Amino acid sequence: MNSASPIRFARSLLAGTLAGASLLISTHALAAEPIKLGILEDQSGNFAIAVIPKIYAYQLAVDEINAKGGVLGRQLKIIHYDTQSDNTRFQEFARRQIQQDKVDVIFGAFSSASREAIRPIMDRAKQLYFYNNQYEGGVCDSNVFVTGAVPEQQFSTLIPWMMEKYGKKVYTIAADYNFGQISAEWVRNIVKEQGGTMVGEEFIPLSVSQFSQTIQNIQKAKPDVLVTLLVGANQASFYEQQASANLNFPMASSVNVGQAYEHKRFKAPALKDMYVTANYVEEVVSPASDDFKKRFRAKFPKVEYINQEAANAYDAIYLYKAGVEKAGSIDQAKVKAALGSGGICTDGPSGKVCIDPKSHHTSHRIYLIHVKADHSVDIPKVWDDIQPYWLGTVGCDLSKKADQSQYTPSNLPKK
Amino acid sequence: MRWSIAHFLPHAQMTFLVEAYAFFYQLADSFAFLVLCGLGLAIIFGMMGVINLAHGEFIMCGAYVTVLSARAGLPLPFAMLCGTLAAGLVGLILEFLIIRRLYHRLFDSIVATWALSLIATQGMLIVAGPSIEGLKTPFGSFELGEYSFSVYRALLPLIALLLLGALYWLFVRTRFGIYSRATIQDADMARALGANTRRIYSQTFTLGAALAGLTGALYAPTITAVPTMGQAFIVQSFVTVVVSGADVMLGLAPSAAVLAFIQSLLAKSYGQLIGQIGLLMTVIIVVRVLPKGISGWVLQRNGGR
Amino acid sequence: MPRWLSLVDGPQTLGRGPAFWFVLGVIVLVAALLPTFVNAFAITNLTYFLVWVFMALGLSLIWGYAGILSFGQTAFFGLAGYTYGVISINLGDAGLWTWFALLLSLVLPAMLAILVGYFMFYGGVRDVFVGIVTLSITLVFETFMAQTAGPEWTIGSARLNGFNGMSNMPPLTFPWGENPIIFDGTSLFWLVLALVVLVYVGLRILVNSRFGNVLVAIRENPERAEMLGYNVRLYQLFVFVIGSVLAGLSGVLYTLWGSYITPSSMGLTAAALPIIWVAAGGRKDITATLFATVLLTWLSQQLAVKGSQYALIWMGVILLVVVLFAPEGLFVTVWKKLRDGRRMRQRATAPKTVSLPSA
């Protein structure tokens, strides 16, 4: 606590008392009114498979908090619209939630494209927004908080470990859009740093579902490690096709298993020797995780798999709660300041998660998930408390300077 | 130095042969995909003129039923048969309820089939959940040089050719085929000659739907079954059928062969992006050069029919 | 009334006479006054529905009137959107530069349409082949733009930004002394509304003119029209260019509305939507297309808001009902039913006619 704090506290107390006295009746009415949480997630369309558990997770967290008396004595209320995996829907509904429903905070978006579709709208309205998804990293935005894992958390752990275990020749196949290209850039840089070589790099349009040519290319290059950054239902077909062609290379990924639980959906051994870094999967065994799963399944017995993004969504609600309680208000500017002031943490299903004031991203415990031949999973390694450090080191510091950009290793902030 | 040449040549030849086979395998794989994508649509759209935007959902239906019945314990070939029949049955019902009212206004079939595709995709999501556990591709793999290939996928082109042959026989040699083609060409005349045109339309549509289901069934063990999987097929289907032109029995195989060759060559040399774009550009150029599709061109060269 | 203006009513459009124009005038007036009654969101949202009208009207002209089914109008939509983005980000919002960007965003689709149209109509491409060529073009654009994520895909200072889409382009700005007029919110709504009225009236005049009659003649029988001495290809090319510029106009306005444009606006689903609106409303009439577009975009949004996971199913069911029970399209069918009903009543009330058993 710094020295100015008591004075500020006294001042806000005074202001609060005055405001409270003059608006006694209406304050009373306000206190009864719930806090409105806008949620924009895909209940239908392409991404529904990975997003439905997320929607459940928001509901779970909100119900738990409400059962314990809410936040600042007020109940939480979810306003959810189905964005149908459609970027235009995201824009329509973001505006609806901001302008018509006047929500206090927005949570949502699965794909980076949908996040980028609504980020300009959030920024224009200075709307507090949580993006709760693993992604390609680099969003440095004063209005945005990110609870998903980013490349420095997933690749700086995964790639060196794989190279040490299997060898230094790496082949990357990646979805041919922002996420895949930027992630591939991260892999390339880390492989180089670690003294390895890229024996191939291939980008695949999202509409491709047939992989014979790619499989041949990989066989010709004979890598030690195959990094697969494939996205969506079409591209997921790669795994069955590589297994039936007996490709048999150890694979590494930041997206699979943790999002769309391919190891549950595909017949073994399509994902044999797949290694994934995730901040949560259902197979994590710990008192916190087991308890979380029990509560989750009790409330939503239909859920097929409790994925990484469900944990992120769950944590996001609790982080928002912590921010509001620290700010003592749901005023968005104050909540943003509180969330970005440091020390905002929650103990979620995966472990302790804290917001980094510089980048508005969160620290994570990262699990290395290994899919075995029978598609059961073991966790050979856990990295504790990995920080989302990259944005901070390249010059994004939201605690000092407001920003609304997305940076990549080849597109750094101007100094 | 003779020994070194003798030692060297077979190896080089071997490498060359393996490379050639690898390219051929890729080409055949691509060919099979395009033919199978187009099969059902060739009948429903190519012959009957119904612009069937729900083609992908018929494929999805075939795949889902195949996967579910295989997991229920049926041997794979029977599961595939179930998938095919299920899609055919759905086709039969939809033809009776909806499509038959649209034969005289085919443009409206766009709206109807689009609506059906929305209902099918989202309905499957609600009923069966966002995804179901897949199947394993049968038959394993074989090795050649530095490559290994999937046996099942190597067989798919043969199955595609077999199906094309069977369809050709069905439409050219059998009574049903001749009635069907006559009805579609001139329903009034066919009716005057005693054909039950209503039933023939219904049968033809059902056959098309069943073939789409068969495509889904054949690919079910190689891809993941999700409600939106139809989208992976729809563009290739239309492209193959349109390029083949009006007489699909004649045009489908050459159309798929030309498109597969160009796509494989480009994908091998310049990557998947250029392969995809090249496929679409080829379509534009083929349509411009042969405005009636490949079959139209063949028929014209043979002096018309 | 000048002769050209009298063409707003004619054989190629439904609705005529003072009563029709009075109702339409009231609708426009109410719409124009809406910002004083409803909240900002309602206006933004209404603007959004109107943005799509131009592409639909263009398609109605190409498909409904001239009989050419283009499945890829979104290619022009996307091209215009990206053109506006690139130009306006580079030139900024000073002076009249955003208007220059707007103009250029209509010129480029026009040029593409001339190229593609010439390629198709003068190359003997017709019927369903036109659909597949235009669809291929829009999918090529989509596939290409989706992979332009890297910093090497920069035009001037504008990042194309791949699949995630391009954003933060400046709004239309008109210099006005100290306080330039920025077209955003209500002012953007008025601009779009004015454009809808302008384009609608303009198209009515066009389709009721000699040009429109020839188009319909070509639709009904191209060979006969050719025999009668009309340059069929030139007419087809011309109408295709107009329709494509209108698709471009929708593209620019959509980009301005969200200050965002993405490759998926040129994808298969996006390409199919205008066809659905036009067909469901009644493709052979622009009034029907206009109202159907607004109604269907509104409806699909309402369903998504209220119906959660059943939204798409309801949308499908509604479209099926329309296509089965309103064979000429929802609005055209309803219009004709109403008109026939009125005539029937008129006849029934006339003393000489025998009254029909059913009312």
Side-chain angles (χ1 to χ4, degrees):
Chain A
M1 209 182 254
N2 60 35
S3 59
S5 244
I7 300 170
R8 203 188 295 155
F9 176 68
R11 205 185 288 159
S12 64
L13 194 69
L14 187 67
T17 319
L18 284 176
S22 60
L23 293 164
L24 195 61
I25 299 158
S26 60
T27 313
H28 184 72
L30 267 178
E33 214 166 86
I35 300 175
K36 286 182 278 192
L37 275 52
I39 287 175
L40 299 171
E41 296 280 10
D42 304 317
Q43 206 164 11
S44 50
N46 249 331
F47 303 129
I49 186 168
V51 174
I52 288 173
K54 255 176 119 173
I55 300 171
Y56 290 154
Y58 291 122
Q59 191 67 54
L60 178 68
V62 164
D63 288 356
E64 285 175 7
I65 291 170
N66 281 344
K68 287 182 188 148
V71 180
L72 302 180
R74 293 168 64 172
Q75 295 282 294
L76 302 179
K77 183 183 157 205
I78 286 181
I79 299 177
H80 169 233
Y81 298 129
D82 177 10
T83 36
Q84 303 176 336
S85 308
D86 177 346
N87 297 341
T88 305
R89 283 270 180 271
F90 270 96
Q91 291 192 298
E92 295 170 47
F93 291 152
R95 288 181 177 223
R96 174 178 285 264
Q97 292 192 335
I98 294 169
Q99 296 180 325
Q100 181 158 298
D101 303 329
K102 301 203 165 43
V103 296
D104 299 299
V105 55
I106 290 179
F107 301 86
F110 177 79
S111 78
S112 287
S114 40
R115 180 199 67 236
E116 289 306 296
I118 54 176
R119 211 159 57 81
I121 298 173
M122 303 295 169
D123 287 336
R124 216 180 285 173
K126 301 203 180 338
Q127 172 69 44
L128 168 59
Y129 165 52
F130 279 85
Y131 176 59
N132 312 310
N133 234 78
Q134 171 277 338
Y135 83 114
E136 72 277 5
V139 169
C140 173
D141 189 323
S142 314
N143 302 306
V144 180
F145 291 82
V146 180
T147 62
V150 285
E152 64 265 35
Q153 296 172 319
Q154 295 185 288
F155 291 128
S156 318
T157 47
L158 175 67
I159 303 295
W161 192 90
M162 290 298 285
M163 287 170 67
E164 184 145 313
K165 183 164 165 90
Y166 288 105
K168 298 203 174 252
K169 288 191 291 178
V170 177
Y171 194 111
T172 302
I173 54 174
D176 200 3
Y177 76 112
N178 307 53
F179 169 77
Q181 291 183 4
I182 295 169
S183 299
E185 190 180 358
W186 272 92
V187 172
R188 195 186 313 139
N189 292 347
I190 293 170
V191 167
K192 219 167 112 191
E193 274 168 30
Q194 301 288 321
T197 45
M198 295 298 302
V199 293
E201 200 172 54
E202 195 172 330
F203 294 97
I204 295 158
L206 286 164
S207 57
V208 168
S209 65
Q210 303 299 312
F211 288 91
S212 303
Q213 183 64 53
T214 303
I215 290 168
Q216 288 183 11
N217 295 346
I218 296 167
Q219 288 179 330
K220 215 170 156 60
K222 297 190 189 66
D224 298 318
V225 176
L226 173 63
V227 179
T228 61
L229 303 165
L230 301 174
V231 177
N234 289 340
Q235 298 198 342
S237 301
F238 170 78
Y239 297 105
E240 186 51 52
Q241 291 173 20
Q242 67 89 19
S244 78
N246 198 19
L247 195 59
N248 218 2
F249 290 110
M251 296 182 283
S253 176
S254 66
V255 272
N256 296 121
V257 178
Q259 281 189 344
Y261 45 99
E262 286 82 355
H263 60 306
K264 297 277 178 194
R265 291 160 48 212
F266 298 0
K267 206 80 185 161
L271 260 77
K272 175 172 152 289
D273 283 334
M274 160 69 87
Y275 291 84
V276 184
T277 37
N279 57 293
Y280 185 74
V281 288
E282 200 183 310
E283 287 85 351
V284 168
V285 175
S286 71
S289 167
D290 294 344
D291 188 47
F292 175 67
K293 284 183 280 191
K294 213 172 85 194
R295 281 175 286 139
F296 206 115
R297 294 220 178 263
K299 195 165 178 65
F300 302 105
K302 259 180 72 183
V303 69
E304 289 181 22
Y305 186 79
I306 302 170
N307 63 4
Q308 162 178 252
E309 315 310 354
N312 291 335
Y314 183 84
D315 286 348
I317 302 273
Y318 276 97
L319 287 171
Y320 173 70
K321 173 174 182 276
V324 170
E325 279 165 354
K326 185 163 182 183
S329 153
I330 57 161
D331 178 80
Q332 296 196 27
K334 287 183 190 154
V335 177
K336 274 184 263 181
L339 286 168
S341 65
I344 296 286
C345 298
T346 177
D347 279 308
S350 62
K352 194 171 182 183
V353 169
C354 298
I355 295 178
D356 165 40
K358 278 187 174 175
S359 64
H360 287 186
H361 285 53
T362 49
S363 63
H364 281 293
R365 178 179 293 165
I366 299 289
Y367 299 88
L368 180 69
I369 322 291
H370 170 219
V371 181
K372 293 190 277 195
D374 63 350
H375 280 198
S376 67
V377 155
D378 62 355
I379 299 180
K381 186 162 171 67
V382 178
W383 290 272
D384 255 328
D385 195 30
I386 301 286
Q387 294 297 320
Y389 59 83
W390 180 71
L391 274 171
T393 58
V394 298
C396 162
D397 188 350
L398 294 166
S399 63
K400 295 207 175 68
K401 194 169 123 254
D403 200 342
Q404 302 178 347
S405 313
Q406 181 176 12
Y407 300 111
T408 68
S410 57
N411 176 38
L412 296 172
K414 291 187 186 73
K415 292 272 162 66
Chain B
M1 294 291 273
R2 209 152 30 137
W3 64 270
S4 75
I5 291 166
H7 182 254
F8 182 65
L9 251 185
H11 179 68
Q13 275 169 348
M14 189 63 206
T15 317
F16 174 77
L17 282 178
V18 168
E19 284 296 329
Y21 179 76
F23 180 69
F24 176 73
Y25 172 90
Q26 162 60 21
L27 177 65
D29 190 64
S30 199
F31 170 79
F33 184 68
L34 291 173
V35 167
L36 290 171
C37 271
L39 266 188
L41 198 71
I43 289 168
I44 292 178
F45 170 59
M47 284 177 62
M48 305 176 72
V50 176
I51 305 174
N52 181 18
L53 293 181
H55 178 64
E57 280 61 46
F58 282 113
I59 294 178
M60 183 262 286
C61 171
Y64 260 75
V65 174
T66 303
V67 172
L68 289 175
S69 38
R71 278 181 40 209
L74 233 56
L76 191 60
F78 290 102
M80 286 177 170
L81 189 66
C82 281
T84 312
L85 293 178
L89 185 68
V90 171
L92 180 71
I93 295 168
L94 290 179
E95 200 276 343
F96 180 76
L97 292 176
I98 295 160
I99 307 294
R100 86 169 25 172
R101 290 155 219 269
L102 302 175
Y103 287 133
H104 57 283
R105 47 190 179 107
L106 290 170
F107 277 144
D108 287 337
S109 62
I110 297 183
V111 181
T113 54
W114 172 264
L116 287 175
S117 121
L118 287 182
I119 295 171
T121 309
Q122 190 61 18
M124 193 55 101
L125 177 70
I126 292 170
V127 172
S131 150
I132 53 174
E133 194 193 331
L135 302 174
K136 188 170 156 19
T137 313
F139 305 141
S141 64
F142 62 96
E143 271 179 48
L144 206 61
E146 55 189 344
Y147 298 111
S148 58
F149 302 95
S150 160
V151 176
Y152 182 75
R153 291 190 80 92
L155 288 176
L156 278 180
L158 298 178
I159 297 174
L161 283 175
L162 219 66
L163 280 169
L164 275 176
L167 273 189
Y168 186 80
W169 173 80
L170 182 72
F171 277 102
V172 176
R173 299 275 176 220
T174 68
R175 199 176 157 79
F176 161 76
I178 289 161
Y179 270 57
S180 159
R181 284 191 303 146
T183 304
I184 285 155
Q185 212 157 56
D186 192 336
D188 291 335
M189 184 58 82
R191 204 174 305 123
L193 293 173
N196 183 348
T197 52
R198 190 160 239 215
R199 201 173 72 205
I200 287 167
Y201 267 117
S202 157
Q203 285 169 344
T204 313
F205 190 88
T206 306
L207 176 68
L211 282 172
L214 178 60
T215 303
L218 287 171
Y219 277 98
T222 73
I223 54 179
T224 48
V226 291
T228 51
M229 65 178 280
Q231 287 168 7
F233 294 86
I234 190 90
V235 171
Q236 275 86 347
S237 309
F238 270 93
V239 155
T240 316
V241 173
V242 168
V243 168
S244 94
D247 193 329
V248 281
M249 290 309 123
L250 196 65
L252 198 59
S255 158
V258 168
L259 295 176
F261 180 74
I262 291 176
Q263 189 190 10
S264 309
L265 197 65
L266 289 176
K268 187 175 168 62
S269 324
Y270 302 105
Q272 294 269 19
L273 172 75
I274 302 295
Q276 285 289 300
I277 290 182
L279 174 76
L280 296 167
M281 297 299 279
T282 311
V283 171
I284 298 174
I285 291 164
V286 170
V287 165
R288 172 65 174 76
V289 177
L290 312 173
K292 287 185 173 158
I294 289 181
S295 66
W297 175 70
V298 172
L299 289 177
Q300 213 156 31
R301 248 176 49 126
N302 295 346
R305 197 164 55 179
Chain C
M1 197 152 67
R3 206 183 134 71
W4 60 268
L5 194 58
S6 68
L7 289 170
V8 288
D9 286 350
Q12 310 300 355
T13 47
L14 292 176
R16 61 171 65 215
F20 173 77
W21 287 102
F22 178 74
V23 172
L24 225 54
V26 169
I27 292 175
V28 172
L29 196 70
V30 168
L33 293 176
L34 268 184
T36 48
F37 305 122
V38 298
N39 67 16
F41 171 70
I43 292 304
T44 322
N45 215 20
L46 191 55
T47 312
Y48 171 76
F49 301 142
L50 291 178
V51 155
W52 301 99
V53 161
F54 306 96
M55 179 155 61
L57 287 178
L59 184 66
S60 165
L61 185 72
I62 299 177
W63 182 26
Y65 286 86
I68 306 161
L69 174 53
S70 165
F71 214 113
Q73 289 305 97
T74 42
F76 307 102
F77 181 97
L79 177 65
Y82 274 102
T83 307
Y84 182 81
V86 169
I87 306 282
S88 66
I89 285 173
N90 275 297
L91 298 179
D93 56 359
L96 285 169
W97 283 119
T98 49
W99 295 87
F100 174 73
L102 173 74
L103 186 72
L104 217 59
S105 320
L106 299 180
V107 171
L108 248 63
M111 280 160 59
L112 178 69
I114 292 173
L115 210 70
V116 173
Y118 179 79
F119 177 87
M120 292 191 306
F121 303 125
Y122 284 79
V125 178
R126 41 169 73 184
D127 304 331
V128 63
F129 296 100
V130 171
I132 219 76
V133 167
T134 47
L135 177 66
S136 299
I137 290 170
T138 196
L139 292 178
V140 165
F141 276 12
E142 187 211 10
T143 314
F144 178 79
M145 290 310 292
Q147 53 87 47
T148 57
E152 68 273 24
W153 296 103
T154 305
I155 302 178
S157 51
R159 283 274 302 269
L160 295 181
N161 204 29
F163 187 76
N164 284 10
M166 192 177 193
S167 54
N168 289 322
M169 44 284 280
L172 279 176
T173 311
F174 195 82
W176 194 269
E178 296 279 294
N179 306 309
I181 303 169
I182 295 166
F183 284 88
D184 200 5
T186 307
S187 49
L188 183 65
F189 170 70
W190 278 328
L191 177 71
V192 173
L193 184 67
L195 283 170
V196 167
V197 172
L198 206 70
V199 168
Y200 171 72
V201 173
L203 282 179
R204 277 185 77 109
I205 293 173
L206 185 75
V207 296
N208 283 318
S209 68
R210 212 181 78 105
F211 178 82
N213 292 336
V214 176
L215 281 188
V216 173
I218 292 172
R219 175 186 76 200
E220 295 302 324
N221 190 336
E223 285 80 18
R224 187 173 56 199
E226 184 131 42
M227 295 295 257
L228 288 170
Y230 293 107
N231 187 343
V232 171
R233 294 164 179 180
L234 194 62
Y235 275 93
Q236 288 176 325
L237 177 63
F238 193 68
V239 81
F240 184 67
V241 172
I242 296 176
S244 304
V245 170
L246 288 176
L249 183 58
S250 275
V252 184
L253 293 174
Y254 172 76
T255 309
L256 284 166
W257 178 83
S259 89
Y260 175 73
I261 181 80
T262 147
S264 42
S265 60
M266 297 181 283
L268 182 64
T269 311
L273 281 179
I275 295 172
I276 303 302
W277 302 328
V278 173
R283 66 175 185 277
K284 290 178 186 169
D285 186 72
I286 53 172
T287 317
T289 299
L290 174 86
F291 286 107
T293 306
V294 174
L295 182 77
L296 286 176
T297 43
W298 171 81
L299 187 70
S300 80
Q301 192 193 62
Q302 280 303 303
L303 285 171
V305 170
K306 305 255 160 66
S308 67
Q309 54 176 344
Y310 293 96
L312 293 170
I313 292 189
W314 280 116
M315 192 68 205
V317 170
I318 291 169
L319 287 174
L320 269 184
V321 169
V322 166
V323 93
L324 288 181
F325 298 103
E328 286 183 89
L330 183 61
F331 281 85
V332 176
T333 306
V334 169
W335 181 269
K336 287 191 173 165
K337 281 256 156 60
L338 287 175
R339 192 182 60 191
D340 294 349
R342 204 171 55 216
R343 280 188 190 155
M344 206 100 81
R345 268 197 307 282
Q346 276 164 357
R347 237 176 278 153
T349 48
K352 278 178 205 161
T353 45
V354 182
S355 62
L356 294 161
S358 64

